[in-house]
Amino acid sequence: MSRRLLQLVIPVTPERRMFRIHDPSVDPDAPGGPLPPVGALISTNREQLWVGSLQEDIDVRLVLEEWDEAPPPCGDAWDEEAKSAIYLRGQLSISMGLAGTAVRGLRLAGGVGDYSVRVYAGNRDQVTRRYAQLFDRHRNPLSDEFQQEKKTLEGLERYLVQLWRESLAATGSGRLLLPGRGVLVIAGWTVLTGWPTAMRCGPPPDWCLPASCRCPRSGATRAWRAWLMTSRWWSP
């Protein structure tokens, strides 16, 4: 059963009718980014996901969730849905362009790798219609009446972004959970585990590692960190 690891609920101010989820090391304004999601819910490249909004003067509500595996679909409660994938180095940021950064360097439990993403959207057309009606009722958009009614629309357009890393067994990479003390055989080598931990493919400083591994045939032992530094995807 899938388990939610993180949930973040924040207001977001779309810039040019979009907000951007990306790896913190990536500048979303640099050349080579995705095309603006005009007429689409999302637009992506390797390290960025741009979410299209119908607003640019009204804040929207974003719920960001990380799961340990694919969560149950929840499309019935939403008007639109899109799926994609993004590569993240264990963190993500949410950019609002000139309005600033909504989230900077949020650390993810899944670590470094490719993340599957589902994006849901709701009430987009409703907010657009109600905002247009404000201008019909009030000639002066700076009036108190206009501004008070505008505030009732804040957060009504909403988004749910769910992301997760596929399991090691399904993809051959990613995160491997060790339940506790015991022995685990990976690619013909016996890993001696001493504590609950999580190992993942990525730079060695990010890893929590047991002390050694042993070949079940020859009985030879090797330092786990030295072996892993010269190996790829846990293959000797």
Side-chain angles (χ1 to χ4, degrees), residues 112-189:
V112 181
D114 291 307
Y115 285 77
S116 299
V117 185
R118 286 193 200 135
V119 180
Y120 298 96
N123 300 330
R124 286 163 30 112
D125 293 334
Q126 178 184 353
V127 175
T128 300
R129 182 177 63 256
R130 290 176 58 178
Y131 189 48
Q133 292 171 351
L134 286 182
F135 290 91
D136 295 335
R137 293 196 298 270
H138 305 284
R139 292 186 177 182
N140 181 10
L142 299 179
S143 67
D144 292 340
E145 293 81 2
F146 184 97
Q147 294 299 320
Q148 288 174 1
E149 290 192 45
K150 179 183 174 183
K151 286 183 179 179
T152 64
L153 302 179
E154 301 285 348
L156 185 58
E157 182 176 306
R158 60 196 182 106
Y159 296 86
L160 170 63
V161 176
Q162 298 176 321
L163 65 161
W164 66 94
R165 289 197 62 189
E166 298 293 345
S167 67
L168 179 66
T171 65
S173 63
R175 184 177 52 161
L176 177 64
L177 297 180
L178 305 183
R181 297 181 181 275
V183 175
L184 180 71
V185 176
I186 304 175
W189 286 80

Side-chain angles (χ1 to χ4, degrees), residues 10 19-22 62 64 92-96 100-103:
I10 57 172
F19 57 91
R20 296 169 283 187
I21 299 173
H22 58 91
L62 170 63
L64 177 72
L92 67 76
S93 295
I94 301 174
S95 173
M96 303 182 295
T101 301
V103 174

